[in-house]
Amino acid sequence: MNTTDARRVLETALICAPQPLSVRDMGVLFDAELAPDTIKTLLAELQQEWTGRGVELVPVASGWRFQSRPEMRPFLDRLHPEKPPRYTRATLETLAIIAYRQPVTRGDMEDIRGVTINSLLLKQLEDRGWIEVIGHRETVGRPSLFATTRQFLDDLGLASLDQLPPLDGSDVQESALGRLDFEALNDSLQAEAADEPAVAAAVDDPHTQAIPFDEPSPAAAPQDSHDNGAAPEENPA
């Protein structure tokens, strides 16, 4: 198979795939006749071919995928005016702590935030596929150790944790939660992943829709032990 035909096969598979494809997955397309380095070269060529179009080919943690470019969001939002899921500041703070300090226990998170963290908040992040338990700390009670997942990176549009927005300081101080760059992180967060094949994603990719940042109420209590991660509904009055 010549390179032109191979690129066409890769392009078709990536557009039609419901999830990112790894280089190993793409090797199956050619019955292992193409080496991984050759496939990577073809992917780079495909990236170049799609330069300047409304969609782009990008590498993420789970593999490669086509997605709409950020500048297309205002137009694509008109097709789906419904609001994406909203997450409270408590949820995003907890997620950011896990992302930057992983692996961490619930106790670590509570020490950093200075408030009790509701188990429902962590369950919401687990159900969303953004965090998971990767082990237990060898101490009294053997508390669970939480870390982010590949899905978290995929939804951010990142290939690795190294690409997370940088912190203002050289490290995360437990007494200075405000140094975490929540605004930059939130700008990168994505909406719910689509269940449809990526053919639709090439036209309207929800991976590129940012989750609105939910600012805390000035009158909020100094702890959120009853916060389940969902944004409070507005008072109709």
Side-chain angles (χ1 to χ4, degrees):
M1 181 181 296
N2 59 46
T3 56
T4 299
D5 289 340
R7 279 200 307 273
R8 184 179 298 114
V9 170
L10 287 174
E11 182 179 56
T12 302
L14 286 163
I15 289 176
C16 295
Q19 301 294 336
L21 293 179
S22 67
V23 173
R24 178 180 297 181
D25 292 333
M26 289 181 271
V28 175
L29 296 168
F30 307 100
D31 198 19
E33 292 181 3
L34 292 185
D37 287 343
T38 301
I39 293 176
K40 291 177 182 178
T41 298
L42 294 175
L43 290 170
E45 293 174 0
L46 267 179
Q47 275 186 307
Q48 191 64 31
E49 287 180 14
W50 283 78
T51 300
R53 301 188 187 183
V55 294
E56 59 184 343
L57 177 62
V58 298
V60 293
S62 298
W64 291 72
R65 73 179 180 206
F66 278 104
Q67 65 181 34
S68 58
R69 293 183 182 275
E71 58 267 28
M72 296 293 104
R73 293 177 192 166
F75 305 99
L76 298 179
D77 284 344
R78 298 170 187 171
L79 293 175
H80 301 283
E82 64 274 8
K83 294 181 179 180
R86 294 179 63 86
Y87 294 87
T88 64
R89 182 181 182 87
T91 302
L92 294 181
E93 285 179 351
T94 301
L95 178 60
I97 290 170
I98 297 172
Y100 285 105
R101 292 293 302 272
Q102 59 187 302
V104 291
T105 66
R106 177 174 171 179
D108 295 332
M109 298 177 232
E110 292 177 340
D111 287 343
I112 295 173
R113 294 198 62 228
V115 296
T116 301
I117 294 177
N118 193 326
S119 58
L120 292 179
L121 185 153
L122 294 174
K123 185 178 186 303
Q124 181 191 40
L125 292 175
E126 285 186 284
D127 290 345
R128 180 62 183 81
W130 281 343
I131 66 171
E132 62 183 348
V133 174
I134 62 169
H136 296 82
R137 181 170 293 168
E138 294 302 325
T139 186
V140 178
R142 300 187 75 245
S144 299
L145 288 167
F146 292 91
T148 54
T149 63
R150 284 190 176 185
Q151 183 65 52
F152 168 72
L153 291 174
D154 286 351
D155 287 352
L156 279 169
L158 303 179
S160 70
L161 290 169
D162 293 338
Q163 297 176 344
L164 281 172
L167 300 177
D168 293 336
S170 59
D171 54 58
V172 182
Q173 298 294 328
E174 293 185 357
S175 60
L177 183 61
R179 292 173 64 181
L180 292 175
D181 195 350
F182 294 120
E183 291 294 346
L185 178 63
N186 182 73
D187 288 343
S188 300
L189 282 171
Q190 314 299 315
E192 297 288 333
D195 291 328
E196 304 83 18
V199 172
V203 179
D204 179 20
D205 185 0
H207 284 296
T208 64
Q209 306 300 315
I211 295 175
F213 189 76
D214 192 24
E215 293 293 344
S217 168
Q223 64 89 27
D224 57 75
S225 59
H226 297 292
D227 183 359
N228 63 4
E233 296 182 1
E234 295 182 1
N235 189 334

